[in-house]
Every structure is written in structure tokens, then in C-alpha cells.
């Protein structure tokens, strides 16, 4: 075995030691790409595609050539990494010379010295999809065993992606809850001011706020904040 390369089992074990909750997603994906490149037989370059809201980008790449081949697909909206990302399937191009799909991209890849490729779709998440892309210099670089190993790496990347998405969703929800609590607090303060000034009920006070909001084309929270700030200034 080439001493510069790793055994796939060792590479996956190294990934398993990463604490996903403590490491940023882009760093995890870069490590996935690096270890896949170092351990999967026939692999010359690796990249990771992420797609969100219809826009794809390369989140990690072991070589500029891999990034360039990815970006060509994004630019012209065709290619195996995009199709794998959408379908969450494994798409193998065993020999660029005989490939009939994505003809323009295949010609670009062959001109760059790439003889075969493998794109593994990451399991579809709520808002983000992706693919692990392997490029080989030789034709038929990826056999059945290589595909299985690549799918193991892709599964790890998918777990990292899901973990990051869950954290982001949780953090977003927490921010929304904090904002809602702040909004409620300032609105209650403004209602108290109006009730004191007009000797009215809480329902009537909120109706006054709502009317001011509508007349000034501002959010109720903004009207309430301005009212509270004005009272504080007068004190």
C-alpha cells in the first residue's frame, strides 16, 4: 500500500472521533474530503457540493480542479454532482470517453485530464442537499468496493450536515423566542402607559397601539418601543 495513503477504516475512525457539536460544518466537510481523497483507491480529487434554495456551491475541495469541475456544473445547470444532490443517489461515470450523459461537462472533464467520476448524494435534509464528488485520473478508477467506501464517507458528511442544520434551526428558534419575549415585554409596557394616561382597559390600550401602528405604517413593537422611550426621556 502507498505509505502516503490511509486505510479507509482508519480514515473513517478518525472522522468518528470528531465531536460534531463542537466543530464548524465547513471544517468537518473539508476533513471528510481530505480523508476520502487519502484513502479511497483511484481517487485523485474530492469535493463536496451543497445546495440550498436552488443555489449550489462547493463547500470543500482538495484541489482547484475539483472546484472548477463542480462550478462548471453550477454555471450550466447540468452534471452528476447536481443530479446526485437532487436524487440522493450514487452516480458513477466509469469512463468519460464513453459517457453519453452531460456531454458538455464530460468533454470539459476529459480536457482537464479526468477519466472517471463518482458523485454520492447526501441524504436529503429539510432545507439543504448535497453530494460527495470523487474524481479519478484513470478510467474505471472506482470499483464496487470504492463506491461502498465513498458512501460511508458521504453518510458521515450527511450526519454532520444534519447536525449543523439541527443546531441552526434550534438557534434560530431560540432567537425568535427571545425576540417574541422582548416584543411582548415592550408592548405590555406601552399598554401600561396608555392605560395610565387614558384610564382604559388592556384591550382598549392594545387597540390604541394597533391603530397607531396602522396609521404610521410601523410594527406594533416599533410603536411600543418609541412610546416607552419617549416616557423614559421625559422622566
Amino acid at each position: 500500500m502507498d505509505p502516503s495513503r490511509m486505510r479507509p477504516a482508519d480514515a473513517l475512525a478518525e472522522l468518528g472521533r470528531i465531536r460534531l457539536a463542537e466543530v464548524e460544518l465547513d471544517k468537518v466537510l473539508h476533513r471528510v474530503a481530505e480523508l476520502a481523497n487519502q484513502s479511497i483507491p483511484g481517487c485523485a480529487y474530492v469535493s463536496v457540493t451543497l445546495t440550498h434554495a436552488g443555489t449550489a456551491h462547493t463547500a470543500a475541495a482538495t484541489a482547484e480542479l475539483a472546484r472548477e469541475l463542480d462550478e462548471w456544473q453550477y454555471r450550466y445547470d447540468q452534471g452528476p454532482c447536481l443530479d446526485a444532490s437532487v436524487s440522493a443517489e450514487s452516480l458513477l461515470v466509469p469512463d468519460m470517453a464513453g459517457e453519453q450523459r452531460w456531454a458538455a461537462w464530460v468533454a470539459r472533464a476529459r480536457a482537464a485530464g479526468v477519466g472517471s467520476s463518482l458523485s454520492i448524494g447526501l441524504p436529503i435534509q429539510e432545507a439543504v442537499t448535497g453530494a460527495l464528488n470523487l474524481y479519478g485520473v484513470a478510467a474505471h478508477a472506482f470499483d464496487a468496493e470504492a463506491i461502498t467506501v465513498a458512501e460511508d464517507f458521504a453518510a458521515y458528511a450527511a450526519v454532520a450536515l444534519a447536525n449543523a442544520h439541527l443546531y441552526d434551526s434550534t438557534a434560530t428558534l431560540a432567537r425568535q423566542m427571545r425576540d417574541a419575549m422582548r416584543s411582548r415585554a415592550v408592548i405590555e409596557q406601552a399598554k401600561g402607559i396608555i392605560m395610565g394616561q387614558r384610564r382604559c382597559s388592556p384591550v382598549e390600550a392594545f387597540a390604541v397601539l394597533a391603530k397607531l401602528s396602522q396609521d404610521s405604517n410601523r410594527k406594533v413593537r416599533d410603536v411600543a418601543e418609541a412610546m416607552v422611550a419617549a416616557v423614559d426621556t421625559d422622566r
Side-chain angles (χ1 to χ4, degrees):
M1 183 176 182
D2 185 338
S4 66
R5 299 190 66 82
M6 298 178 66
R7 293 193 310 155
D10 292 339
L12 288 166
E14 181 172 330
L15 283 179
R17 289 191 287 270
I18 297 176
R19 293 182 179 273
L20 294 177
E22 300 174 3
V23 181
E24 295 176 359
L25 177 63
D26 61 342
K27 292 181 179 179
V28 175
L29 296 180
H30 274 92
R31 196 61 185 136
V32 169
E34 290 171 349
L35 291 171
N37 197 41
Q38 292 170 16
S39 63
I40 298 176
C43 188
Y45 321 107
V46 177
S47 67
V48 179
T49 294
L50 292 185
T51 303
H52 179 259
T55 300
H57 75 281
T58 297
T62 62
E64 191 59 30
L65 177 57
R67 187 181 300 277
E68 290 174 359
L69 291 176
D70 288 355
E71 290 178 348
W72 191 101
Q73 297 179 62
Y74 312 152
R75 188 179 308 118
Y76 295 101
D77 195 28
Q78 61 168 291
C81 79
L82 289 178
D83 287 0
S85 178
V86 171
S87 66
E89 295 179 352
S90 300
L91 295 179
L92 174 66
V93 179
D95 185 354
M96 293 290 177
E99 181 57 56
Q100 301 299 313
R101 300 166 292 179
W102 320 295
W105 177 80
V106 166
R108 173 72 186 84
R110 288 186 66 192
V114 171
S116 54
S117 73
L118 173 64
S119 290
I120 310 290
L122 306 183
I124 295 175
Q125 304 301 322
E126 187 174 321
V128 182
T129 61
L132 177 69
N133 309 302
L134 281 58
Y135 296 103
V137 173
H140 303 287
F142 307 111
D143 58 16
E145 181 180 357
I147 294 172
T148 298
V149 174
E151 288 174 343
D152 288 340
F153 277 95
Y156 189 91
V159 170
L161 180 59
N163 188 73
H165 179 65
L166 176 61
Y167 174 81
D168 182 65
S169 297
T170 303
T172 298
L173 179 59
R175 287 194 298 272
Q176 290 171 344
M177 291 179 67
R178 286 196 299 269
D179 288 345
M181 291 172 67
R182 292 192 190 104
S183 295
R184 179 173 180 178
V186 75
I187 289 170
E188 289 300 318
Q189 283 182 277
K191 282 169 59 179
I193 293 168
I194 295 170
M195 289 164 64
Q197 292 174 343
R198 303 198 179 195
R199 300 292 188 268
C200 62
S201 69
V203 173
E204 291 170 329
F206 185 79
V208 171
L209 272 178
K211 182 67 165 56
L212 290 171
S213 170
Q214 184 178 8
D215 291 346
S216 61
N217 195 29
R218 291 185 296 166
K219 294 179 180 179
V220 171
R221 172 180 172 172
D222 294 340
V223 172
E225 286 179 339
M227 185 175 294
V228 172
V231 170
D232 287 343
T233 301
D234 291 341
R235 288 175 180 171

